[in-house]
Amino acid sequence: MEKPEMFDVVIIGGGPAGACAALRLLALGHRVALIEQQAFPRPQIGESLSVGVRNIFNYLGAEQLLNRHGYIEGLSAKVIWEKEGEVHTLQKSGGIMVNRGKLDEDLISLAVSRGLELFQPAKLESCVKLASHWEVVIRQELGKSTLKGVFILDARGRSGLRTMDKIITAAPMVALYAHTNRSAMPECTLVEAQESGWLWGSPLPGPDQKFRMMVFLSPEGLRKRDLGQVFREKISSSILFKGGLNDLGNEGIQSCSVSSYSHQQPWENNYIRIGEAAFTLDPLSSTGMEKAMRFSLQTVIALNTILKSGDAQMAQSYYEDKLVESLSLHLNWTSNYYSTAWPGKGFGFWKERSQMNISLPQNDTAFYHKLASNLMAKPGNEVRDLPTKLAFGANIDQVWYKEVRLSPQISYTRAVCVEDDRLQIREAVQHPSLSREVAYIDNIAVPSLLKESNEAETVGELIYLWTKHMPFEQAKAMAIQLHDLDLLEIG
């Protein structure tokens, strides 16, 4: 097949964020090239995937990739966190332990089968913005090539980022890790808080039967000290992990930075960052890959909007808002969770991480101010997804004949919404109990439903009225949802 003269998007980096963006862009009919420097499979850390990853793979038509290579699902967990020495056992979750080297390769192979133009291994030599497009020069074994792209998606992770480009979003942290024999450890995930850090461990998939042990601590705890000695001290003083020292693997103790940051200007002149080139999250929640892939899908919506309608300002604002939202929610969650650990704020490691204090970047950018102002705002109530908690008990029949009316605090505005993978301006609802405007719930236009409610006097009449737009059971669930959000008053 003849290569297109111009790609809509050139992606740099073949990890989950880049592959996810490629798969979705291809599904929307765009011409996509991807440049990856290393040959696959490549060793990668980050095997623990949260439950939400499976929904993303299903959406991409890639669910079969999570059922290969003996991946481990449904691990329970033993946790020491809120009280010193007290072990809590958490039941099996929907998370999954994967081989990232193989999973990354499978994702790229799937994208190639769907039309991705892959350049691998290929070294990026230059990336220059011209009047209407970017020109990217790469070097492969047979020589140099030049690619043209309207947009660049940088998905190179930490390697493509300079220190001066970062907004530091949490106190710096380093991970030390090693492997022991899986048979020497429990067949579950382990998490343990200590005075100067915390430990994590899990069995890994694969025939070599490894169990990974990781120690998270501040860089100060490593200064002028041997990494192996520090690692052994932390493991030997633990309750859950000390058995792992008896059979350490031959590769020894390794280290990596796991500090959290955001890029200070993630979207600039059609050069857009995704994955760890845009932001990183604290490893505490194991949601890094899920958040990176979800943000890639949101970035694709922004790009698709520009490529099909040309509204660049709305697209960039949407991209930045989603990045800020993801960072803010995670930073609030991690600081709160660190504050619950048994060592408490009397220990420096825990005090630093129990409070949010983002750094001022070298360049005072508009994106930094958007992020900082969001973090200073008080969190509001989030719009909940269906199904929601039944506000009326198990049966809506209890309020079937009750009077229903709109909340007098409702107002209407215009908001950016996603329709058919593009951004559109639509009418939306505002209310003091909502953290943001709401235009749709379960793909149903909420303003229209609320305005129709004036034609009904009781809950039952309202539900039958709404069956013009949705099935009966969905109409009942919608009434419950809107009541829980304080938009409908009953009784």
Side-chain angles (χ1 to χ4, degrees), residues 9 34 249:
V9 182
L34 188 144

Side-chain angles (χ1 to χ4, degrees), residues 205-222:
D208 46 6
Q209 294 293 296
K210 290 182 179 180
F211 187 102
R212 174 167 292 157
M213 301 183 295
M214 303 190 76
V215 176
F216 298 93
L217 67 168
S218 64
E220 288 77 12
L222 293 174

Side-chain angles (χ1 to χ4, degrees), residues 13 77 84 90 94 116 131 148 150 156 172 187 204 212 221 245 321 393 417 424 442-443 445 457 462-463:
E84 184 178 5
L90 306 180
L116 174 68
K148 299 178 182 180
V150 179
R156 288 178 290 173
E187 192 67 12
L204 300 180
R212 174 167 292 157
L245 289 177
D321 288 347
C417 305
Q424 308 281 355
D442 201 26
N443 295 320
E457 295 183 359
L462 181 65
I463 289 171

Side-chain angles (χ1 to χ4, degrees), residues 324-346:
V324 166
E325 179 182 304
S326 183
L327 281 168
S328 299
L329 289 173
H330 189 81
L331 291 172
N332 274 292
W333 181 87
T334 51
S335 61
N336 289 334
Y337 199 80
Y338 273 119
S339 69
T340 66
W342 68 263
K345 295 181 180 180

Side-chain angles (χ1 to χ4, degrees), residues 124-425:
L124 176 67
E125 294 220 336
S126 65
C127 189
V128 179
K129 181 69 169 71
L130 302 180
S132 62
H133 65 275
W134 287 86
E135 281 198 357
V136 182
V137 178
I138 60 173
R139 180 179 293 277
Q140 294 181 279
E141 186 177 356
L142 298 179
K144 292 184 179 181
S145 302
T146 300
L147 311 180
K148 299 178 182 180
V150 179
F151 290 95
I152 300 293
L153 280 186
D154 189 339
R156 288 178 290 173
R158 297 171 185 265
S159 63
L161 214 61
R162 302 172 301 177
T163 301
M164 63 181 293
D165 295 326
K166 296 178 180 178
I167 301 169
I168 304 302
T169 56
M173 191 159 59
V174 175
L176 306 180
Y177 62 97
H179 299 102
T180 189
N181 194 295
R182 189 166 157 180
S183 62
M185 302 297 289
E187 192 67 12
C188 64
T189 299
L190 305 177
V191 180
E192 182 174 343
Q194 295 185 329
E195 289 182 357
S196 58
W198 59 282
L199 314 179
W200 175 91
S202 177
L204 300 180
D208 46 6
Q209 294 293 296
K210 290 182 179 180
F211 187 102
R212 174 167 292 157
M213 301 183 295
M214 303 190 76
V215 176
F216 298 93
L217 67 168
S218 64
E220 288 77 12
L222 293 174
R223 285 180 180 163
K224 298 181 180 180
R225 298 201 62 194
D226 178 73
L227 298 186
Q229 181 183 358
V230 173
F231 181 85
R232 287 177 172 83
E233 285 178 1
K234 299 297 182 184
I235 297 297
S236 63
S237 63
S238 75
I239 295 173
L240 299 176
F241 288 82
K242 56 187 174 184
L245 289 177
N246 298 328
D247 195 9
L248 288 181
N250 296 327
E251 65 267 37
I253 313 300
Q254 301 179 67
S255 66
C256 63
S257 171
V258 289
S259 296
S260 302
Y261 60 80
S262 167
H263 196 283
Q264 64 178 353
Q265 200 161 0
W267 179 312
E268 184 179 13
N269 204 10
N270 286 2
Y271 191 105
I272 303 162
R273 292 166 177 86
I274 57 175
E276 290 193 339
F279 68 100
T280 58
L281 302 178
D282 191 290
L284 190 62
S285 68
S286 296
T287 60
M289 181 168 164
E290 177 188 346
K291 298 288 188 183
M293 295 183 76
R294 196 173 300 282
F295 183 61
S296 288
L297 295 176
Q298 292 165 338
T299 303
V300 167
I301 290 170
L303 293 185
N304 189 51
T305 300
I306 299 175
L307 290 167
K308 292 186 176 177
S309 68
D311 197 330
Q313 183 175 353
M314 180 169 61
Q316 181 172 347
S317 180
Y318 171 82
Y319 162 93
E320 291 179 350
D321 288 347
K322 291 301 179 183
L323 176 51
V324 166
E325 179 182 304
S326 183
L327 281 168
S328 299
L329 289 173
H330 189 81
L331 291 172
N332 274 292
W333 181 87
T334 51
S335 61
N336 289 334
Y337 199 80
Y338 273 119
S339 69
T340 66
W342 68 263
K345 295 181 180 180
F347 293 87
F349 177 90
W350 299 98
K351 180 180 179 180
E352 289 177 337
R353 287 156 183 80
S354 298
Q355 56 194 19
M356 287 189 293
N357 185 22
I358 67 173
S359 70
L360 180 67
Q362 293 190 19
N363 297 318
D364 192 9
T365 63
F367 178 78
Y368 167 78
H369 287 284
K370 181 180 287 191
L371 175 60
S373 62
N374 187 281
L375 290 174
M376 288 187 290
K378 293 182 179 180
N381 297 327
E382 293 300 318
V383 177
R384 296 177 288 276
D385 295 327
L386 292 174
T388 179
K389 182 179 71 175
L390 291 176
F392 322 116
N395 195 333
I396 201 171
D397 290 343
Q398 296 173 11
V399 294
W400 192 260
Y401 297 105
K402 294 281 188 180
E403 181 183 353
V404 64
R405 58 192 173 275
L406 290 183
S407 166
Q409 294 179 290
I410 285 176
S411 61
Y412 297 96
T413 186
R414 306 286 286 178
V416 176
C417 305
V418 178
E419 280 186 19
D420 299 324
D421 296 292
R422 290 169 58 184
L423 301 173
Q424 308 281 355
I425 303 295

